[in-house]
Amino acid sequence: GESVGLHLPTLSVQEGDNSIINCAYSNSASDYFIWYKQESGKGPQFIIDIRSNMDKRQGQRVTVLLNKTVKHLSLQIAATQPGDSAVYFCAATNFGNEKLTFGTGTRLTIIP
Amino acid sequence: DGGITQSPKYLFRKEGQNVTLSCEQNLNHDAMYWYRQDPGQGLRLIYYSQIVNDFQKGDIAEGYSVSREKKESFPLTVTSAQKNPTAFYLCASSPRTQGGTEAFFGQGTRLTVV
């Protein structure tokens, strides 16, 4: 089966700085990865995804990097804002498997 | 507006009682999921359904039951057999396209056993 883990449970970043949240997965067959943001008391919201045929994907202020060799992905948030404070989860799955396996989450705190 | 709706937002249950959490989606998604989240923890899969009238156990199905009689509805019953039911419950759906796709989440139901 798949297991997904985040490297740091908490991360504090000064407002305006860039942040990097890291995630490791165990199943080399995993080929689709998602980052979610969860604010307190709410359901997770999709941020960005990446498929295994890519090693980088960019969105608005966010970039996901995938390193299949070491089974590692990261979420970079540029020019952090107070609204970025939340818990961030990575999730992984593979083609034909309907189950998303989630990591334990990193709580990102933006310091004003 | 399309989306996934969970109700109620907060639910209190006495020990020994069954309780049913509602999840409805109007996204025309085939797959639906129930996750449990404990404080400071990730999401653990309880049950999932890929198609109407079919569902599979997830990683922590004991003490829970589900039904999928309609495409848009996937209610979760927390039975008295669930030893530690107090948690935040999240329902999600996805369209089941090839190669995997994101799951869309509801806003969650916080269940407290009193």
Side-chain angles (χ1 to χ4, degrees):
Chain A
E2 172 69 276
S3 68
V4 178
L6 276 81
H7 293 181
L8 287 175
T10 62
L11 178 65
S12 295
V13 173
Q14 204 73 37
E15 182 179 352
D17 287 353
N18 299 336
S19 68
I20 300 176
I21 301 171
N22 296 301
C23 181
Y25 62 96
S26 64
N27 188 351
S28 57
S30 292
D31 57 12
Y32 179 62
F33 307 88
I34 310 172
W35 280 99
Y36 284 93
K37 173 184 180 183
Q38 186 179 28
E39 297 175 335
S40 182
K42 297 183 178 180
Q45 290 179 290
F46 171 88
I47 301 173
I48 192 168
D49 60 359
I50 189 167
R51 300 195 185 277
S52 58
N53 60 351
M54 304 171 70
D55 53 21
K56 180 179 180 180
R57 190 165 188 219
Q58 288 184 292
Q60 188 177 14
R61 288 200 303 118
V62 294
T63 300
V64 55
L65 299 177
L66 175 63
N67 185 331
K68 295 181 287 295
T69 303
V70 296
K71 298 197 281 289
H72 177 274
L73 70 159
S74 66
L75 175 71
Q76 301 178 2
I77 305 174
T80 53
Q81 303 168 356
D84 294 330
S85 292
V87 177
Y88 291 82
F89 293 96
C90 62
T93 189
N94 57 275
F95 176 70
N97 181 357
E98 303 296 340
K99 295 166 57 176
L100 272 176
T101 300
F102 283 82
T104 53
T106 291
R107 178 173 296 279
L108 176 65
T109 301
I110 307 303
I111 304 167
Chain B
D1 285 322
I4 182 163
T5 303
Q6 290 185 243
S7 60
K9 188 173 176 63
Y10 299 96
L11 189 56
F12 295 88
R13 185 195 94 177
K14 291 184 179 180
E15 273 193 52
Q17 288 181 339
N18 293 353
V19 63
T20 297
L21 282 59
S22 169
C23 179
E24 303 278 331
Q25 54 99 0
N26 60 4
L27 300 167
N28 200 33
H29 287 170
D30 287 313
M32 296 187 74
Y33 311 82
W34 274 105
Y35 289 89
R36 170 182 171 136
Q37 186 176 30
D38 293 287
Q41 303 293 314
L43 281 67
R44 293 185 290 168
L45 184 64
I46 304 172
Y47 268 97
Y48 64 107
S49 167
Q50 300 175 1
I51 199 168
V52 174
N53 292 322
D54 186 49
F55 48 83
Q56 287 79 40
K57 293 182 179 180
D59 302 317
I60 55 165
E62 185 176 351
Y64 300 98
S65 66
V66 293
S67 63
R68 187 84 187 279
E69 297 176 2
K70 298 186 296 182
K71 186 175 184 177
E72 57 270 23
S73 179
F74 191 41
L76 172 74
T77 297
V78 184
T79 75
S80 57
Q82 169 52 235
K83 299 303 179 190
N84 185 20
T86 295
F88 190 48
Y89 290 88
L90 287 159
C91 180
S93 68
S94 70
R96 285 194 76 202
T97 56
Q98 284 193 352
T101 187
E102 68 185 275
F104 296 79
F105 283 86
Q107 291 302 297
T109 293
R110 187 168 298 281
L111 173 65
T112 303
V113 173
V114 296

